Amino acid sequence: MNLPPLIQAFVLHFGEMGSRWGINRTVGQVYAVIFLANRPVCADDLVDAVGVARSNVAMALKELQSWELIRLKHVPGERRDYYGTLDDIWAIVRKLVEQRKRREIDPTLTVLRELLMQSPASEEERFAQERMQEMHGVIELVTGWYDDIERLETERLVQLLSLGSKIVKALDWKDKLFVAKGGGKPKGPERP
Amino acid sequence: MNLPPLIQAFVLHFGEMGSRWGINRTVGQVYAVIFLANRPVCADDLVDAVGVARSNVAMALKELQSWELIRLKHVPGERRDYYGTLDDIWAIVRKLVEQRKRREIDPTLTVLRELLMQSPASEEERFAQERMQEMHGVIELVTGWYDDIERLETERLVQLLSLGSKIVKALDWKDKLFVAKGGGKPKGPERP
DNA sequence: CTGAATTTTCAGGATTTTCTGAAGTAACGG
DNA sequence: CCGTTACTTCAGAAAATCCTGAAAATTCAG
């Protein structure tokens, strides 16, 4: 491993965290190197930087491409494949959430839907299904919220996140105004 | 493994997903059984339900307790330890997010802060630090937002999630009204 | 075509993680 | 105390995952 100290420290950390994040050490380290580089990176660079076998680097690159977290970037006059991360940090975050949802949540949602179709054959199963229903409801709510939010342009998204829970007060106030002005139902906004 | 079919299907699924979620098969299955049970569950029940060695069940229970996802529930007149999940599904979700943040994000935040204190020794390091700064900013923003949101009572939280991105329109509208009424700055709510 | 450069695949060895059974410890009733 | 029940610990077996080097496949210039 052959990197400036500051970069090496970050790369080693990403390697260690890899297992917690559901990727392996090499994949973590390879991604870290690409993320921190100020230019596209090729397999040889990575062998050099991370210090593992070339075939291992190839596997890591394949894995990262399957996550759509890195992209092939052709360098003019170069035959080798060069890779870079997505353009901006928010694109990376969105992709990460999308992929983890796809891998960690969607399969469960599918199973839940299947099992909720069946009729319980005992009180035990009836109760279990009730719990599954609760879980299904929460997942639908949270992922539905994200699907919606995720479409916002980044600037809006950042605004929203910066507000935090202050947004609730803002909404209260809006509701009050709305009611005061003599509008319809007191709860929930409706389309005009 | 000895469970009603509906429950067994769910338990097996949780076992399979375990590795993606950063827990092992047994831990996943044990949690699933406890989650679906309509009464507290003891180690023997779990050995019976999941079909693994008792020591393995003990390990799984220890792991789940370290996540604070299950709680000891004493059953009157019983010597054995019985376990149950947190009371309601939202408490479970909150705990899950809290723990995953603690395990998967906080360590990285610490490392980032350390590395951002150092002065770069080259252009390469300077650029890398810029990227780390971006990552740090995003993590702070998102986790800060969650820390804030997480304090809301569940009813409020559900309201907020149900709104999705409609909230942005609501805010726009509020801003417009606010400005129309001749109030202060056009952006961002301030305390009255 | 041919051959060099590069990437991909994969069998098997190395490492890590998970699981088991046996032994050990603790708590309790009588 | 003693024996029973229940829980925990832990060494090593079993399984899963990761990594390597060699070989195969692909790409491209000449």
Side-chain angles (χ1 to χ4, degrees):
Chain A
M1 179 173 261
N2 182 17
L3 286 168
L6 196 67
I7 295 179
Q8 168 154 328
F10 183 88
V11 169
L12 289 175
H13 172 75
F14 252 56
E16 280 165 24
M17 294 301 286
S19 57
R20 297 196 193 188
W21 296 336
I23 57 179
N24 67 41
R25 196 178 59 228
T26 304
V27 173
Q29 293 186 346
V30 164
Y31 185 75
V33 170
I34 299 176
F35 178 75
L36 296 184
N38 53 8
R39 54 175 182 78
V41 170
C42 73
D44 288 327
D45 296 337
L46 291 165
V47 168
D48 197 45
V50 172
V52 297
R54 198 202 168 64
S55 54
N56 200 1
V57 166
M59 297 281 211
L61 289 171
K62 210 169 91 178
E63 172 83 359
L64 287 169
Q65 279 179 292
S66 90
W67 280 77
E68 298 175 47
L69 280 172
I70 61 173
R71 277 222 172 76
L72 209 53
K73 302 226 160 172
H74 279 294
V75 171
E78 265 286 358
R79 236 179 99 183
R80 288 179 289 185
D81 290 345
Y82 281 74
Y83 295 91
T85 59
L86 306 191
D87 293 332
D88 88 284
I89 190 84
W90 283 101
I92 296 172
V93 171
R94 285 164 194 254
K95 184 59 79 179
L96 260 174
V97 174
E98 170 195 328
Q99 292 282 358
R100 289 189 77 155
K101 172 179 175 302
R102 193 163 70 72
R103 291 157 193 248
E104 300 184 8
I105 299 181
D106 289 352
T108 298
L109 212 45
T110 303
V111 168
L112 281 171
R113 283 204 250 267
E114 274 171 31
L115 297 180
L116 285 171
M117 302 279 288
Q118 300 181 23
S119 8
S122 64
E123 166 56 20
E124 214 183 339
E125 288 195 333
R126 198 203 53 75
F127 183 87
Q129 228 175 22
E130 215 168 80
R131 291 287 266 174
M132 292 183 206
Q133 183 64 63
E134 287 177 46
M135 183 182 282
H136 181 266
V138 169
I139 296 178
E140 286 261 279
L141 185 56
V142 174
T143 59
W145 171 82
Y146 180 73
D147 286 347
D148 205 24
I149 276 321
E150 177 264 335
R151 283 190 210 102
L152 294 176
E153 61 213 60
T154 296
E155 205 198 336
R156 283 307 196 145
L157 187 54
V158 171
Q159 273 176 24
L160 202 62
L161 291 174
S162 306
L163 262 183
S165 65
K166 282 202 276 297
I167 203 145
V168 172
K169 279 179 195 151
L171 279 179
D172 271 353
W173 187 45
K174 195 217 77 172
D175 263 1
K176 243 179 278 170
L177 266 181
F178 190 37
V179 172
K181 281 168 64 103
K185 284 174 288 176
K187 270 187 188 173
E190 53 238 304
R191 42 195 84 261
Chain B
M1 181 172 258
N2 181 17
L3 285 169
L6 196 68
I7 296 180
Q8 168 155 328
F10 182 88
V11 169
L12 288 176
H13 173 76
F14 252 57
E16 279 165 28
M17 294 301 286
S19 57
R20 298 197 192 185
W21 296 338
I23 57 180
N24 66 41
R25 195 177 61 227
T26 305
V27 173
Q29 292 185 346
V30 163
Y31 186 76
V33 170
I34 299 176
F35 178 75
L36 295 184
N38 54 7
R39 54 176 181 76
V41 169
C42 73
D44 288 328
D45 296 337
L46 291 166
V47 168
D48 198 44
V50 173
V52 297
R54 200 205 165 60
S55 53
N56 200 359
V57 167
M59 297 283 211
L61 290 171
K62 211 169 91 178
E63 173 82 358
L64 287 168
Q65 278 179 292
S66 88
W67 281 76
E68 298 175 47
L69 280 172
I70 61 172
R71 277 220 172 74
L72 209 52
K73 301 226 160 171
H74 279 294
V75 171
E78 266 286 358
R79 252 182 83 185
R80 288 179 289 184
D81 291 344
Y82 281 75
Y83 295 91
T85 58
L86 306 191
D87 294 331
D88 88 285
I89 190 85
W90 283 101
I92 296 173
V93 172
R94 286 163 193 254
K95 183 61 78 179
L96 260 174
V97 175
E98 171 195 327
Q99 292 281 358
R100 289 189 77 155
K101 172 179 174 302
R102 193 162 70 70
R103 291 159 194 248
E104 300 183 9
I105 300 181
D106 289 353
T108 297
L109 212 45
T110 304
V111 168
L112 282 172
R113 284 204 249 267
E114 274 169 30
L115 297 180
L116 286 171
M117 302 279 289
Q118 300 180 23
S119 5
S122 63
E123 165 57 19
E124 215 184 339
E125 288 194 336
R126 197 202 55 74
F127 182 86
Q129 229 176 20
E130 215 169 81
R131 291 289 266 172
M132 293 184 206
Q133 183 64 63
E134 286 177 46
M135 183 182 284
H136 181 266
V138 169
I139 297 178
E140 287 260 279
L141 184 57
V142 175
T143 60
W145 171 81
Y146 180 75
D147 286 348
D148 204 23
I149 275 322
E150 176 267 333
R151 283 190 209 101
L152 294 176
E153 60 213 61
T154 295
E155 204 198 336
R156 282 310 195 140
L157 187 54
V158 171
Q159 273 176 24
L160 202 61
L161 291 174
S162 307
L163 262 183
S165 64
K166 283 203 276 297
I167 203 145
V168 173
K169 281 180 194 152
L171 279 178
D172 272 353
W173 187 40
K174 194 218 80 174
D175 264 3
K176 245 178 276 169
L177 267 181
F178 190 36
V179 173
K181 280 168 64 103
K185 284 173 290 178
K187 270 187 187 173
E190 52 238 307
R191 42 195 83 260

